[in-house]
């Protein structure tokens, strides 16, 4: 499908049946079978991140002004909205259990947002701008931020930083294999760094793809999809 303006973020519906994209203050919905666009969903402001809730019929959208909405994938209608307190989010991810959204901003503030009422709570402070947040390993989350040579683990239940994996510089993107054994981090000057979670050692490293802008790992394998500007 072609859209009238640039795509700000993209994702899939929880069941994989629809491709989703944010263009400004609009959520675009395209069938993955027919490639036909449904009626767009109006957002309360410019959108930032699409956050599908696992094994559900709900998608959350976090906007730049901190407003979040829940959208039903049954009829593609907004069912709830709330103010999270996260201004200009730079990274966000849904927890693996679907209970919370974790979002960070350029000031390094990390918020936990309830999927019940979309209320947000400031949980902790990273050393610099939050660059990425991803689900895993297990029921936790991982995140990267400027000013730290680690991938931080975030405990979903406490909402706090609970550990980390060493990398050779500040990461700009992160993802975790489906089995939870390896963390992939994009590190400027080092390319892709793969860390073994069990012993916190670098298992592999390559600069063949430059420094990826984004990465994702197939949940049933260790194959990564890399988006690189180079």
């Amino acid at each position: 499908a072609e859209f009238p303006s640039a795509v700000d973020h993209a994702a899939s519906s929880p069941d994989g049946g629809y491709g989703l994209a944010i263009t400004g203050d609009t959520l675009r919905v395209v069938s993955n079978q027919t490639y036909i666009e449904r009626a767009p969903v109006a957002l309360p402001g410019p959108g930032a991140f699409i956050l599908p809730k696992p094994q559900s019929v709900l998608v959350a959208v976090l906007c730049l002004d901190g407003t979040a909405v829940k959208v039903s994938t049954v009829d593609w209608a907004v069912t709830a909205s709330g103010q999270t307190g996260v201004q200009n989010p730079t990274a966000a991810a849904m927890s693996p259990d679907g209970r919370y959204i974790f979002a960070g901003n350029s000031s390094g503030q990390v918020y936990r947002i309830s999927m019940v009422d979309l209320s947000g709570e400031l949980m902790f402070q990273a050393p610099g701008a939050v660059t990425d947040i991803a689900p895993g390993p297990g029921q936790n989350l991982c995140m990267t931020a400027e000013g730290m040579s680690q991938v931080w683990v975030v405990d979903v239940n406490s909402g706090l930083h609970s550990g980390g994996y060493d990398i050779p510089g500040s990461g700009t993107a992160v993802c975790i294999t489906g089995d939870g054994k390896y963390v992939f981090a994009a590190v400027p000057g080092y390319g892709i760094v793969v860390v073994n979670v069990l012993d916190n050692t670098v298992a592999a490293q390559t600069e063949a793809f430059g420094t990826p802008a984004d990465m994702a790992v197939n949940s049933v394998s260790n194959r990564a999809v890399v988006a690189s500007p180079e």
Side-chain angles (χ1 to χ4, degrees):
E2 293 187 8
F3 304 129
S5 57
V7 172
D8 301 300
H9 192 244
S12 173
S13 61
D15 64 0
Y18 293 91
L20 311 175
I22 293 171
T23 59
D25 57 2
T26 303
L27 176 66
R28 307 282 177 176
V29 182
V30 179
S31 168
N32 282 338
Q33 290 186 330
T34 65
Y35 305 113
I36 295 175
E37 183 180 0
R38 293 178 58 97
V41 180
L43 301 173
F49 294 98
I50 303 167
L51 303 147
K53 182 177 180 180
Q55 300 177 339
S56 78
V57 292
L58 285 176
V59 171
V61 178
L62 182 60
C63 296
L64 288 175
D65 68 356
T67 304
V69 297
K70 288 191 281 190
V71 180
S72 168
T73 62
V74 176
D75 56 5
W76 297 103
V78 174
T79 62
S81 65
Q83 178 53 244
T84 67
V86 190
Q87 296 294 316
N88 296 310
T90 53
M94 182 79 68
S95 64
D97 60 14
R99 290 186 296 155
Y100 300 106
I101 297 166
F102 280 75
N105 61 21
S106 60
S107 298
Q109 297 171 320
V110 178
Y111 288 75
R112 185 173 69 177
I113 301 161
S114 168
M115 277 297 290
V116 175
D117 60 6
L118 299 176
S119 61
E121 179 183 7
L122 177 61
M123 301 307 297
F124 63 91
Q125 177 77 44
V130 179
T131 52
D132 201 11
I133 305 175
Q139 294 301 307
N140 294 318
L141 294 163
C142 278
M143 61 168 280
T144 51
E146 294 177 357
M148 64 185 202
S149 296
Q150 277 195 327
V151 173
W152 275 7
V153 178
V154 180
D155 181 275
V156 169
N157 290 320
S158 70
L160 300 176
H161 159 226
S162 62
Y165 306 113
D166 296 332
I167 54 177
S170 298
T172 55
V174 65
C175 59
I176 300 91
T177 56
D179 59 13
K181 293 181 179 180
Y182 296 96
V183 171
F184 286 60
V187 183
Y190 297 89
I192 300 172
V193 178
V194 182
V195 179
N196 185 322
V197 168
L198 298 179
D199 57 10
N200 193 19
T201 59
V202 174
Q205 182 255 331
T206 178
E207 297 179 62
F209 306 100
T211 302
D214 201 4
M215 301 184 297
V217 174
N218 187 316
S219 62
V220 295
S221 77
N222 290 343
R223 292 182 178 273
V225 176
V226 175
S228 177
E230 298 179 15

